[in-house]
């Protein structure tokens, strides 16, 4: 059974995959609208996140490219701000996920 990547991200519990600080920072980025969808299909999503002025808690920070994809039906992610082989679910991943959750609600 194929389960689309948007559905996986829509149902993900952010509290279970990230730290509360990343959750807060990511929320701030999303609320300030610093999200740019680059590519989206059933198996891959690419989003540019961030690039705002201010402190981290205000959503400030560099612009990063976040990619979500499926690998053997498992969610994988990569943010250009993360060190190689250290794939934390960072604030950019959080902001991108919040955006996708809201977008998928609009379509229902
Ligand atoms: Zn990041």
């Amino acid at each position: 059974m194929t389960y689309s990547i948007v559905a996986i991200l829509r149902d993900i519990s952010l509290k279970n995959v990230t730290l509360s600080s990343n959750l807060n920072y990511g929320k701030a980025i999303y609320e300030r609208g610093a999200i740019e969808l680059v590519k989206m299909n059933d198996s891959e999503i690419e989003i540019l996140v961030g690039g705002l002025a201010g402190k981290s808690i205000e959503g400030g920070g560099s612009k990063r490219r976040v990619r979500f994809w499926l690998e053997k039906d498992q969610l994988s992610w990569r943010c250009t701000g993360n060190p190689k082989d250290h794939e934390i679910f960072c604030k950019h991943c959080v902001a991108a996920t919040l955006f996708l959750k809201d977008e998928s609600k609009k379509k229902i």
Side-chain angles (χ1 to χ4, degrees), residues 74-86:
Q74 292 291 305
L75 177 67
S76 303
W77 61 87
R78 171 103 188 98
C79 170
T80 51
N82 287 340
K84 213 174 188 314
D85 301 323
H86 186 71

Side-chain angles (χ1 to χ4, degrees), residues 6-7 11 14 27 34 40 52 60-61 73 76 80 95 105-106 108:
V6 179
D11 294 343
L14 285 170
K27 247 182 217 167
M40 180 154 86
L52 296 166
D73 284 343
S76 303
T80 51
K105 266 184 226 153
K106 284 180 203 161
I108 292 167

Side-chain angles (χ1 to χ4, degrees), residues 20-52:
S20 60
S21 55
N22 285 334
L23 199 53
N24 291 334
Y25 299 164
K27 247 182 217 167
I29 294 171
Y30 173 58
E31 278 163 10
R32 286 176 66 189
I35 307 280
E36 193 185 317
L37 187 61
V38 177
K39 180 178 176 182
M40 180 154 86
N41 58 47
D42 279 351
S43 56
E44 191 186 354
I45 297 171
E46 214 174 293
I47 300 181
L48 293 173
V49 179
L52 296 166

Side-chain angles (χ1 to χ4, degrees), residues 64 79 81-82 90-93:
R64 305 295 191 190
C79 170
N82 287 340
C90 66
K91 61 184 181 181
H92 307 101
C93 296

